[in-house]
Amino acid sequence: MPEAQHASTTEQPVPTVQLDHTVVLAHDRHLSAEFLATILGLKVGAPFGPFLPVDLGNGVTLDYYEQRDRPIQAQHYAFLVPEEQFDTMIARLEAVGVTYYADPSHTEPGRVNDLFGGRGAYFDDPDGHNMEIMTRPYVRP
């Protein structure tokens, strides 16, 4: 009984539902995790079992998991980034030769958008996931 009481007094209650982590499939978890971490200015964490985490700094991790034996279904991941870091992220994409786009369909290469009073861009990661960086969150109805 003291063990249970101790555990309940040290745990912090979660006030709302929050995303804790999600798995990102990759043919090479090291390559993909390092790519995203480099573009966003983050660090790749220590392996956790079969996962290689990228901590986004808000309590959420992207846990890269290798899937080498079959095709990877591309997903979309959107990152709200500080305005003052946006240009640096675009420069990092340019430095590694990755084309960015103003739109999710990738029809406006080398351009950024100005949605919701901010700036945004889309780019593919090494596995074809459609990544988005934006400086303002979407305004939802």
Side-chain angles (χ1 to χ4, degrees):
M1 186 73 144
E3 295 276 349
Q5 287 177 339
H6 177 71
S8 65
T9 59
T10 59
E11 292 177 10
Q12 296 294 320
V14 177
T16 61
V17 175
Q18 299 174 18
L19 181 63
D20 181 76
H21 68 278
T22 192
V23 173
V24 180
L25 298 179
H27 288 112
D28 181 331
R29 69 181 185 164
H30 293 281
L31 174 70
S32 294
E34 288 290 345
F35 169 80
L36 185 65
T38 297
I39 300 305
L40 299 181
L42 302 172
K43 293 191 183 328
V44 175
F48 181 71
F51 305 107
L52 192 60
V54 174
D55 185 346
L56 300 178
N58 62 345
V60 178
T61 59
L62 297 182
D63 293 338
Y64 280 84
Y65 180 81
E66 282 188 11
Q67 177 176 288
R68 292 179 179 261
D69 57 342
R70 56 187 191 267
I72 291 174
Q73 174 65 47
Q75 301 294 319
H76 174 67
Y77 299 92
F79 304 95
L80 187 59
V81 303
E83 174 66 43
E84 61 273 8
Q85 293 180 25
F86 185 84
D87 290 330
T88 300
M89 292 175 188
I90 292 295
R92 289 178 185 138
L93 288 166
E94 291 172 340
V96 296
V98 173
T99 303
Y100 58 92
Y101 303 84
D103 64 309
S105 299
H106 294 193
T107 62
E108 299 178 59
R111 298 185 55 210
V112 300
N113 64 54
D114 59 0
L115 296 175
F116 309 107
R119 296 187 295 158
Y122 299 82
F123 59 95
D124 283 342
D125 85 340
D127 293 291
H129 294 300
N130 191 10
M131 303 299 196
E132 177 183 7
I133 54 175
M134 58 188 182
T135 61
R136 296 276 172 89
Y138 288 175
V139 176
R140 304 196 188 268

